[in-house]
């Protein structure tokens, strides 16, 4: 009997390629590259505007050392502007990339002990379309818990906002944790830092590094 084996060389996948392809799946079963198909936009310090209680200087509530943005705020602090009656915050408001349409993605690595740490600003009847909040050590999308035990560790955050379809996806450490509706049309932009919410402790802090913004 003659075994015709001429197909084998072309259908065989070289081992190194196979290993490299399967490795992420083996290490992390729910691995997903949320940035696939997206293009990063240029980001520099001129795109980062720090908002902090209006009666203290920036260095009393924010530092940037070794690539880490550290934000802190006290529950008794003033709002970011004398005319504002919002809660105290120390946040970076991303400027230069406000949008009303398209698909946008925020990425960063965060560590935190409190409150609202990331926002997609702008909505039709709400001021925001997405908020990541911390309640009792768990991370929530608004009030829906998406990841437990987030104190004292770094976690990767990817938020995809499709402003055309009005949808929001949140990935924590590359796992999809929230997939739902946004809060309508508006002028949108990203913010990260600390923003006081109900039930906040006196001192609130978050740290962020490797901030990236992508669009599709
Ligand atoms: C800023 O305002 C806070 C809250 O009202 C107050 O406790 C603090 O003393 C003020 N700080 C300065 C430097 O005026």
């Amino acid at each position: 009997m003659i075994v015709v084996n001429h197909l084998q060389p072309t259908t065989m996948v070289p081992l190194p390629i196979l290993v490299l392809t399967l490795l992420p799946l083996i290490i992390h079963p729910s691995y997903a590259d949320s940035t696939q198909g997206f293009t990063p936009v240029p980001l520099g310090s001129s795109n980062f505007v720090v908002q902090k209680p209006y009666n203290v200087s920036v260095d009393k509530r924010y530092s940037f050392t070794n690539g880490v943005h550290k934000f802190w705020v006290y529950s008794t602090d003033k709002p970011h502007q004398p005319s504002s009656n919002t809660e105290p915050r120390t946040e970076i408001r991303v400027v230069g990339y406000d949008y009303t349409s398209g698909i946008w993605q925020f990425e960063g690595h965060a560590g935190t002990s409190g409150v609202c740490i990331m926002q997609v600003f702008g909505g039709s009847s709400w001021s925001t379309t997405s908020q990541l909040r911390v309640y009792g050590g768990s991370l929530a999308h608004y009030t829906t818990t998406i990841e437990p035990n987030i104190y004292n560790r770094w976690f990767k955050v990817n938020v995809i906002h499709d402003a055309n379809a009005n949808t929001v996806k949140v990935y924590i450490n590359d796992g999809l944790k929230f997939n739902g509706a946004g809060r309508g049309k508006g002028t949108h932009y990203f913010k990260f830092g600390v923003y006081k919410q109900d039930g906040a402790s006196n001192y609130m802090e978050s740290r962020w590094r490797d901030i990236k913004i992508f669009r599709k």
Side-chain angles (χ1 to χ4, degrees):
M1 191 180 151
I2 299 165
V3 178
V4 181
N5 204 17
H6 65 273
L7 281 177
Q8 205 184 0
T10 52
T11 53
M12 255 177 59
V13 180
L15 195 61
I17 291 178
L18 194 67
V19 169
L20 287 176
T21 310
L22 294 179
L23 207 54
L25 299 173
I26 294 163
I27 292 170
H28 198 312
S30 61
Y31 179 89
D33 182 2
S34 62
T35 65
Q36 205 167 30
F38 282 79
T39 307
V41 303
L43 267 189
S45 55
S46 63
N47 298 108
F48 292 162
V49 172
V50 179
Q51 298 180 340
K52 41 83 193 165
Y54 69 80
N55 72 336
V56 294
S57 57
V58 172
D59 64 320
K60 295 283 189 287
R61 294 292 181 276
Y62 168 79
S63 68
F64 183 58
T65 315
N66 298 328
V68 176
H69 304 270
K70 180 181 168 186
F71 306 82
W72 63 102
V73 80
Y74 296 89
S75 61
T76 51
D77 274 342
K78 303 268 196 212
H80 64 299
Q81 284 168 354
S83 60
S84 171
N85 49 29
T86 60
E87 297 289 355
R89 72 185 71 212
T90 306
E91 286 185 305
I92 281 180
R93 188 262 203 240
V94 174
V95 297
Y97 295 109
D98 290 14
Y99 60 94
T100 56
S101 64
I103 307 175
W104 292 76
Q105 179 166 185
F106 170 92
E107 178 178 299
H109 294 253
T112 188
S113 68
V115 294
C116 177
I117 57 163
M118 193 268 157
Q119 309 193 61
V120 180
F121 215 83
S124 50
S125 52
W126 300 74
S127 57
T128 60
T129 212
S130 174
Q131 280 191 342
L132 292 181
R133 298 179 182 173
V134 177
Y135 293 109
S138 292
L139 190 68
H141 187 257
Y142 292 106
T143 53
T144 307
T145 298
I146 59 171
E147 177 85 1
N149 305 321
I150 50 112
Y151 284 165
N152 304 315
R153 65 173 168 113
W154 284 97
F155 51 96
K156 185 182 175 208
V157 176
N158 290 76
V159 177
I160 298 176
H161 177 212
D162 185 335
N164 305 332
N166 186 35
T167 59
V168 174
K169 285 185 182 140
V170 180
Y171 295 81
I172 303 298
N173 293 331
D174 297 319
L176 182 62
K177 298 299 169 99
F178 177 83
N179 187 1
R183 290 184 166 182
K185 292 210 171 296
T187 298
H188 305 287
Y189 48 85
F190 298 115
K191 304 187 83 176
F192 56 100
V194 276
Y195 177 34
K196 183 190 166 187
Q197 299 296 308
D198 289 345
S201 51
N202 177 48
Y203 175 80
M204 297 153 259
E205 180 188 305
S206 82
R207 294 164 192 240
W208 288 87
R209 58 176 167 81
D210 301 321
I211 304 300
K212 294 174 190 158
I213 292 176
F214 304 86
R215 61 185 305 182
K216 213 175 198 172

